Amino acid sequence: MRRLRVAGRVSTAQVDKVLADASAHPQPSGPVLLDLASATSFDVVALQQLLSFLAARRDAGLDTRIGTAEAKW
């Protein structure tokens, strides 16, 4: 499972980079873990971007989870 990680005070610029990396992945439809364990806060636009990303993947029937890399699935 591919891991997308955001940390600290999560900004729009940080989320833009994570989403660009996700789109550039050789298998963008593969399973994704959105790791928020190190995030301390979100700006409003960054949070909206992450929620939209999750909703779009859910609507497409793609496996996307929120958690930590240490979680056992």
Coordinates of all heavy atoms in Angstrom, one line a residue:
M1 N 0.9 -1.2 0.0 CA 0.0 0.0 0.0 C 0.9 1.2 0.0 O 1.8 1.3 0.8 CB -0.9 0.0 1.2 CG -1.8 1.2 1.3 SD -3.0 1.1 2.6 CE -4.1 0.0 2.0
R2 N 0.6 2.1 -0.9 CA 1.4 3.4 -1.0 C 0.9 4.3 0.2 O -0.2 4.4 0.5 CB 1.1 4.0 -2.3 CG 1.9 5.2 -2.7 CD 1.6 5.6 -4.1 NE 0.2 5.6 -4.2 CZ -0.5 6.2 -5.1 NH1 0.1 6.9 -5.9 NH2 -1.8 6.1 -5.1
R3 N 1.9 5.0 0.7 CA 1.6 5.9 1.9 C 1.9 7.3 1.5 O 2.9 7.7 1.0 CB 2.6 5.5 3.0 CG 2.4 6.4 4.2 CD 3.4 5.9 5.3 NE 3.8 7.0 6.1 CZ 4.9 7.1 6.8 NH1 5.8 6.2 6.6 NH2 5.1 8.2 7.5
L4 N 0.9 8.2 1.7 CA 1.0 9.6 1.5 C 1.0 10.2 2.9 O 0.0 10.0 3.7 CB -0.2 10.1 0.7 CG -0.4 9.5 -0.7 CD1 -1.7 10.1 -1.3 CD2 0.8 9.8 -1.6
R5 N 2.0 11.0 3.2 CA 2.2 11.5 4.6 C 2.1 13.0 4.6 O 2.8 13.7 3.8 CB 3.5 11.0 5.1 CG 3.7 11.4 6.6 CD 5.0 10.8 7.1 NE 5.3 11.1 8.4 CZ 6.1 12.1 8.8 NH1 6.6 12.9 7.9 NH2 6.2 12.4 10.1
V6 N 1.4 13.6 5.5 CA 1.4 15.0 5.8 C 1.8 15.2 7.3 O 1.4 14.3 8.1 CB 0.1 15.7 5.4 CG1 -0.1 15.7 3.9 CG2 -1.1 15.1 6.2
A7 N 2.5 16.3 7.6 CA 3.0 16.4 9.0 C 3.0 17.9 9.4 O 3.0 18.8 8.5 CB 4.4 15.9 9.1
G8 N 3.0 18.1 10.7 CA 3.0 19.5 11.2 C 1.8 20.2 10.9 O 0.7 19.7 10.9
R9 N 1.9 21.5 10.7 CA 0.8 22.4 10.3 C 0.6 22.2 8.8 O 1.5 22.6 8.0 CB 1.1 23.8 10.6 CG -0.2 24.7 10.3 CD 0.1 26.2 10.5 NE -1.1 26.9 10.2 CZ -1.6 27.1 8.9 NH1 -0.9 26.6 7.9 NH2 -2.7 27.8 8.7
V10 N -0.4 21.5 8.4 CA -0.6 21.1 7.0 C -1.1 22.3 6.2 O -2.2 22.8 6.5 CB -1.5 19.9 6.9 CG1 -1.7 19.5 5.5 CG2 -0.9 18.7 7.8
S11 N -0.4 22.7 5.2 CA -0.7 23.8 4.4 C -1.2 23.3 3.0 O -1.0 22.2 2.6 CB 0.5 24.7 4.2 OG 1.5 24.1 3.4
T12 N -1.8 24.3 2.3 CA -2.3 24.0 0.9 C -1.1 23.5 0.1 O -1.2 22.6 -0.7 CB -3.0 25.2 0.3 OG1 -4.0 25.6 1.2 CG2 -3.5 24.9 -1.1
A13 N 0.0 24.2 0.2 CA 1.2 23.9 -0.6 C 1.7 22.4 -0.3 O 2.1 21.7 -1.3 CB 2.4 24.9 -0.4
Q14 N 1.7 22.0 0.9 CA 2.1 20.7 1.3 C 1.1 19.6 0.7 O 1.5 18.6 0.1 CB 2.1 20.5 2.8 CG 2.7 19.2 3.3 CD 2.7 19.1 4.8 OE1 2.3 19.9 5.5 NE2 3.3 18.0 5.3
V15 N -0.2 19.9 0.8 CA -1.2 19.0 0.2 C -1.1 19.0 -1.3 O -1.2 17.9 -1.9 CB -2.6 19.4 0.6 CG1 -3.7 18.6 -0.1 CG2 -2.7 19.2 2.2
D16 N -0.8 20.1 -2.0 CA -0.6 20.1 -3.4 C 0.5 19.2 -3.8 O 0.3 18.4 -4.8 CB -0.3 21.5 -3.9 CG -1.5 22.5 -3.9 OD1 -2.6 22.0 -3.8 OD2 -1.3 23.7 -4.0
K17 N 1.6 19.2 -3.1 CA 2.7 18.3 -3.4 C 2.3 16.9 -3.2 O 2.6 16.0 -4.1 CB 3.9 18.7 -2.6 CG 5.1 17.8 -2.9 CD 6.3 18.1 -2.0 CE 7.5 17.3 -2.3 NZ 7.4 16.0 -2.8
V18 N 1.7 16.5 -2.1 CA 1.3 15.1 -1.9 C 0.3 14.7 -3.0 O 0.5 13.5 -3.5 CB 0.6 15.0 -0.5 CG1 -0.1 13.7 -0.3 CG2 1.6 15.2 0.6
L19 N -0.6 15.5 -3.4 CA -1.6 15.1 -4.4 C -0.9 15.0 -5.8 O -1.3 14.1 -6.5 CB -2.8 16.0 -4.4 CG -3.6 16.1 -3.2 CD1 -4.8 17.0 -3.4 CD2 -4.1 14.7 -2.7
A20 N 0.0 15.8 -6.1 CA 0.8 15.7 -7.3 C 1.6 14.4 -7.3 O 1.6 13.7 -8.3 CB 1.7 16.9 -7.5
D21 N 2.2 14.1 -6.2 CA 3.0 12.8 -6.1 C 2.0 11.6 -6.3 O 2.4 10.7 -6.9 CB 3.7 12.7 -4.8 CG 4.8 13.7 -4.6 OD1 5.2 14.3 -5.6 OD2 5.3 13.9 -3.5
A22 N 0.8 11.7 -5.7 CA -0.1 10.6 -5.9 C -0.5 10.4 -7.3 O -0.6 9.3 -7.8 CB -1.4 10.9 -5.0
S23 N -0.7 11.5 -8.0 CA -1.1 11.5 -9.4 C 0.0 11.0 -10.3 O -0.3 10.3 -11.4 CB -1.6 12.9 -9.9 OG -2.7 13.3 -9.2
A24 N 1.2 11.3 -10.0 CA 2.4 10.9 -10.8 C 2.8 9.4 -10.5 O 3.6 8.9 -11.3 CB 3.5 11.8 -10.5
H25 N 2.2 8.8 -9.6 CA 2.6 7.4 -9.2 C 2.3 6.5 -10.4 O 1.3 6.7 -11.1 CB 1.9 6.9 -8.0 CG 2.4 5.7 -7.4 ND1 1.9 4.5 -7.8 CD2 3.3 5.4 -6.5 CE1 2.6 3.5 -7.1 NE2 3.4 4.1 -6.3
P26 N 3.1 5.5 -10.7 CA 2.9 4.6 -11.8 C 1.5 3.9 -11.7 O 1.0 3.5 -12.8 CB 4.0 3.6 -11.7 CG 5.1 4.2 -10.9 CD 4.4 5.2 -10.0
Q27 N 1.0 3.6 -10.5 CA -0.3 3.0 -10.4 C -1.2 3.9 -9.5 O -1.4 3.6 -8.3 CB -0.1 1.6 -9.7 CG 0.6 0.6 -10.6 CD 0.7 -0.7 -9.9 OE1 0.7 -0.8 -8.7 NE2 0.6 -1.8 -10.6
P28 N -1.7 5.0 -10.1 CA -2.4 6.0 -9.2 C -3.7 5.4 -8.7 O -4.3 5.9 -7.8 CB -2.7 7.1 -10.2 CG -2.5 6.6 -11.6 CD -1.5 5.5 -11.4
S29 N -4.2 4.3 -9.3 CA -5.4 3.7 -8.8 C -5.2 2.6 -7.7 O -6.1 2.0 -7.2 CB -6.2 3.1 -9.9 OG -5.5 2.0 -10.5
G30 N -3.9 2.4 -7.4 CA -3.6 1.4 -6.3 C -4.0 1.8 -5.0 O -4.4 3.0 -4.8
P31 N -4.0 1.0 -4.0 CA -4.4 1.3 -2.6 C -3.5 2.4 -2.0 O -2.3 2.4 -2.3 CB -4.3 0.0 -1.8 CG -3.5 -0.9 -2.7 CD -3.5 -0.4 -4.1
V32 N -4.1 3.3 -1.2 CA -3.4 4.4 -0.6 C -3.7 4.5 0.9 O -4.9 4.4 1.2 CB -3.8 5.7 -1.3 CG1 -3.3 6.9 -0.6 CG2 -3.2 5.8 -2.7
L33 N -2.7 4.8 1.7 CA -2.9 5.1 3.1 C -2.5 6.6 3.2 O -1.4 7.0 2.9 CB -1.9 4.2 4.0 CG -1.9 4.7 5.4 CD1 -3.2 4.5 6.1 CD2 -0.7 3.9 6.1
L34 N -3.5 7.4 3.7 CA -3.2 8.8 4.0 C -2.8 8.8 5.5 O -3.6 8.6 6.4 CB -4.4 9.6 3.7 CG -4.3 11.1 4.0 CD1 -3.2 11.7 3.1 CD2 -5.6 11.8 3.6
D35 N -1.5 9.1 5.7 CA -0.9 9.0 7.1 C -1.0 10.4 7.6 O -0.3 11.3 7.2 CB 0.5 8.5 7.0 CG 1.2 8.4 8.3 OD1 0.6 8.9 9.4 OD2 2.3 7.8 8.4
L36 N -1.9 10.6 8.6 CA -2.0 11.9 9.3 C -1.5 11.9 10.7 O -1.7 12.9 11.5 CB -3.5 12.3 9.3 CG -4.3 12.3 8.0 CD1 -5.7 12.6 8.2 CD2 -3.7 13.3 7.1
A37 N -0.7 10.9 11.1 CA -0.3 10.8 12.5 C 0.6 11.9 13.0 O 0.5 12.3 14.1 CB 0.5 9.5 12.6
S38 N 1.3 12.6 12.1 CA 2.2 13.7 12.5 C 1.6 15.0 12.2 O 2.3 16.1 12.4 CB 3.5 13.5 11.8 OG 4.2 12.3 12.1
A39 N 0.4 15.1 11.7 CA -0.3 16.4 11.5 C -0.8 17.0 12.8 O -1.3 16.3 13.6 CB -1.4 16.2 10.5
T40 N -0.5 18.3 12.9 CA -0.9 19.0 14.1 C -2.1 19.9 13.9 O -2.9 20.2 14.8 CB 0.2 19.7 14.8 OG1 0.7 20.7 13.8 CG2 1.3 18.8 15.2
S41 N -2.2 20.4 12.7 CA -3.3 21.3 12.3 C -3.4 21.4 10.8 O -2.4 21.0 10.1 CB -3.2 22.7 12.9 OG -2.0 23.3 12.4
F42 N -4.5 21.9 10.3 CA -4.7 22.0 8.9 C -5.3 23.4 8.6 O -6.1 23.9 9.3 CB -5.8 21.0 8.4 CG -5.4 19.6 8.6 CD1 -5.6 18.9 9.8 CD2 -4.8 18.9 7.5 CE1 -5.3 17.6 9.9 CE2 -4.5 17.5 7.7 CZ -4.7 16.9 8.9
D43 N -4.8 24.0 7.4 CA -5.5 25.2 7.0 C -6.8 24.7 6.3 O -6.9 23.5 5.9 CB -4.7 26.1 6.2 CG -4.3 25.7 4.8 OD1 -5.1 25.1 4.1 OD2 -3.2 26.1 4.3
V44 N -7.8 25.5 6.2 CA -9.1 25.1 5.7 C -9.0 24.6 4.3 O -9.6 23.5 4.0 CB -10.1 26.3 5.7 CG1 -11.4 26.0 5.1 CG2 -10.3 26.7 7.2
V45 N -8.3 25.2 3.4 CA -8.2 24.7 2.0 C -7.5 23.4 1.9 O -7.9 22.5 1.2 CB -7.5 25.8 1.1 CG1 -7.3 25.3 -0.3 CG2 -8.3 27.1 1.1
A46 N -6.4 23.2 2.7 CA -5.7 21.9 2.7 C -6.6 20.8 3.2 O -6.6 19.7 2.5 CB -4.5 22.0 3.6
L47 N -7.4 21.0 4.2 CA -8.3 20.0 4.7 C -9.4 19.7 3.6 O -9.7 18.5 3.3 CB -9.0 20.5 6.0 CG -9.9 19.5 6.6 CD1 -9.2 18.1 6.9 CD2 -10.5 20.0 7.9
Q48 N -9.9 20.7 2.9 CA -10.9 20.5 1.9 C -10.3 19.7 0.7 O -10.9 18.8 0.2 CB -11.4 21.9 1.4 CG -12.6 21.8 0.4 CD -12.1 21.6 -1.0 OE1 -11.1 22.0 -1.4 NE2 -13.0 20.9 -1.8
Q49 N -9.0 20.0 0.4 CA -8.4 19.3 -0.7 C -8.2 17.8 -0.3 O -8.5 16.9 -1.2 CB -7.0 19.8 -1.0 CG -7.0 21.2 -1.7 CD -5.6 21.7 -1.8 OE1 -4.9 21.9 -0.8 NE2 -5.1 21.9 -3.0
L50 N -7.8 17.5 0.9 CA -7.7 16.1 1.3 C -9.0 15.4 1.3 O -9.1 14.2 0.9 CB -7.0 16.0 2.7 CG -5.5 16.4 2.8 CD1 -5.1 16.4 4.2 CD2 -4.7 15.4 2.0
L51 N -10.1 16.0 1.8 CA -11.4 15.4 1.8 C -11.9 15.2 0.4 O -12.5 14.1 0.1 CB -12.4 16.3 2.6 CG -12.1 16.4 4.1 CD1 -13.0 17.4 4.8 CD2 -12.2 15.0 4.8
S52 N -11.6 16.1 -0.5 CA -12.1 15.9 -1.9 C -11.3 14.8 -2.5 O -11.9 14.0 -3.3 CB -11.8 17.2 -2.7 OG -12.7 18.2 -2.3
F53 N -10.0 14.6 -2.2 CA -9.2 13.5 -2.8 C -9.8 12.2 -2.3 O -10.0 11.3 -3.0 CB -7.8 13.7 -2.3 CG -6.9 12.5 -2.5 CD1 -6.4 12.2 -3.8 CD2 -6.4 11.7 -1.5 CE1 -5.6 11.1 -4.0 CE2 -5.6 10.7 -1.7 CZ -5.2 10.4 -3.0
L54 N -10.1 12.1 -1.0 CA -10.6 10.9 -0.4 C -12.0 10.6 -1.0 O -12.3 9.4 -1.3 CB -10.7 11.0 1.1 CG -9.4 11.1 1.9 CD1 -9.7 11.4 3.3 CD2 -8.7 9.8 1.7
A55 N -12.8 11.6 -1.2 CA -14.2 11.4 -1.7 C -14.1 10.9 -3.2 O -14.8 10.0 -3.6 CB -15.0 12.6 -1.6
A56 N -13.2 11.5 -3.9 CA -13.1 11.1 -5.3 C -12.6 9.6 -5.5 O -13.1 8.9 -6.3 CB -12.1 12.0 -6.1
R57 N -11.7 9.3 -4.6 CA -11.2 7.9 -4.7 C -12.3 6.9 -4.2 O -12.5 5.9 -4.8 CB -9.9 7.7 -3.8 CG -8.7 8.4 -4.5 CD -7.4 8.1 -3.8 NE -7.2 6.7 -3.6 CZ -6.5 5.9 -4.4 NH1 -6.0 6.3 -5.5 NH2 -6.3 4.6 -4.1
R58 N -13.0 7.3 -3.2 CA -14.1 6.5 -2.7 C -15.2 6.3 -3.8 O -15.6 5.2 -4.1 CB -14.8 7.1 -1.5 CG -16.0 6.2 -0.9 CD -17.0 7.0 -0.1 NE -17.5 8.1 -1.0 CZ -17.8 9.3 -0.6 NH1 -17.6 9.7 0.7 NH2 -18.3 10.2 -1.4
D59 N -15.5 7.4 -4.4 CA -16.5 7.4 -5.5 C -16.1 6.5 -6.7 O -16.9 5.9 -7.4 CB -16.9 8.8 -6.0 CG -17.6 9.6 -4.9 OD1 -18.1 9.0 -3.9 OD2 -17.7 10.8 -5.1
A60 N -14.8 6.4 -6.9 CA -14.2 5.6 -8.0 C -14.0 4.1 -7.5 O -13.6 3.3 -8.3 CB -12.9 6.2 -8.4
G61 N -14.4 3.8 -6.3 CA -14.2 2.5 -5.8 C -12.8 2.1 -5.4 O -12.5 0.9 -5.4
L62 N -11.9 3.1 -5.2 CA -10.5 2.8 -4.9 C -10.2 2.7 -3.4 O -10.9 3.4 -2.6 CB -9.6 3.9 -5.5 CG -9.8 4.1 -7.0 CD1 -9.0 5.3 -7.5 CD2 -9.4 2.8 -7.8
D63 N -9.3 1.8 -3.0 CA -9.0 1.6 -1.7 C -8.1 2.7 -1.1 O -7.0 2.9 -1.6 CB -8.2 0.3 -1.5 CG -7.9 -0.1 -0.1 OD1 -8.4 0.5 0.8 OD2 -7.1 -1.0 0.1
T64 N -8.7 3.5 -0.2 CA -8.0 4.6 0.4 C -8.3 4.6 1.9 O -9.5 4.6 2.3 CB -8.5 6.0 -0.2 OG1 -8.3 5.9 -1.6 CG2 -7.6 7.1 0.3
R65 N -7.3 4.7 2.7 CA -7.5 4.6 4.2 C -6.8 5.8 4.8 O -5.8 6.3 4.3 CB -6.9 3.3 4.7 CG -7.6 2.1 4.1 CD -6.9 0.9 4.5 NE -7.5 -0.2 3.7 CZ -7.1 -1.5 3.9 NH1 -6.3 -1.8 4.8 NH2 -7.7 -2.4 3.1
I66 N -7.3 6.2 6.0 CA -6.7 7.2 6.8 C -6.2 6.5 8.0 O -6.9 5.7 8.6 CB -7.7 8.3 7.2 CG1 -8.2 9.0 6.0 CG2 -7.0 9.3 8.2 CD1 -9.3 10.0 6.3
G67 N -4.9 6.8 8.4 CA -4.4 6.1 9.6 C -2.9 6.5 9.7 O -2.5 7.5 9.3
T68 N -2.2 5.5 10.3 CA -0.7 5.7 10.4 C -0.1 4.5 9.7 O -0.7 3.4 9.6 CB -0.3 5.7 11.9 OG1 -0.6 4.4 12.5 CG2 -1.1 6.8 12.7
A69 N 1.2 4.7 9.4 CA 1.9 3.6 8.8 C 2.1 2.4 9.7 O 2.2 1.3 9.2 CB 3.3 4.1 8.3
E70 N 2.0 2.6 11.0 CA 2.2 1.5 11.9 C 0.9 0.7 12.1 O 1.0 -0.4 12.7 CB 2.6 2.1 13.3 CG 4.0 2.7 13.3 CD 4.0 4.1 12.7 OE1 3.0 4.8 12.8 OE2 5.0 4.5 12.1
A71 N -0.2 1.2 11.7 CA -1.5 0.5 11.9 C -1.4 -0.9 11.1 O -0.9 -0.9 10.0 CB -2.7 1.3 11.4
K72 N -2.0 -1.9 11.7 CA -2.1 -3.2 11.0 C -3.4 -3.3 10.3 O -4.5 -3.2 10.9 CB -1.9 -4.3 12.1 CG -0.7 -4.2 12.9 CD 0.5 -4.5 12.0 CE 1.8 -4.5 12.9 NZ 2.9 -3.9 12.3
W73 N -3.4 -3.5 9.0 CA -4.7 -3.6 8.3 C -4.9 -5.0 8.1 O -5.7 -5.6 7.6 CB -4.6 -2.9 7.0 CG -4.2 -1.4 7.2 CD1 -3.0 -0.9 7.0 CD2 -5.1 -0.4 7.6 NE1 -3.0 0.5 7.3 CE2 -4.3 0.8 7.7 CE3 -6.4 -0.3 8.0 CZ2 -4.8 2.0 8.1 CZ3 -6.9 0.9 8.4 CH2 -6.1 2.0 8.4

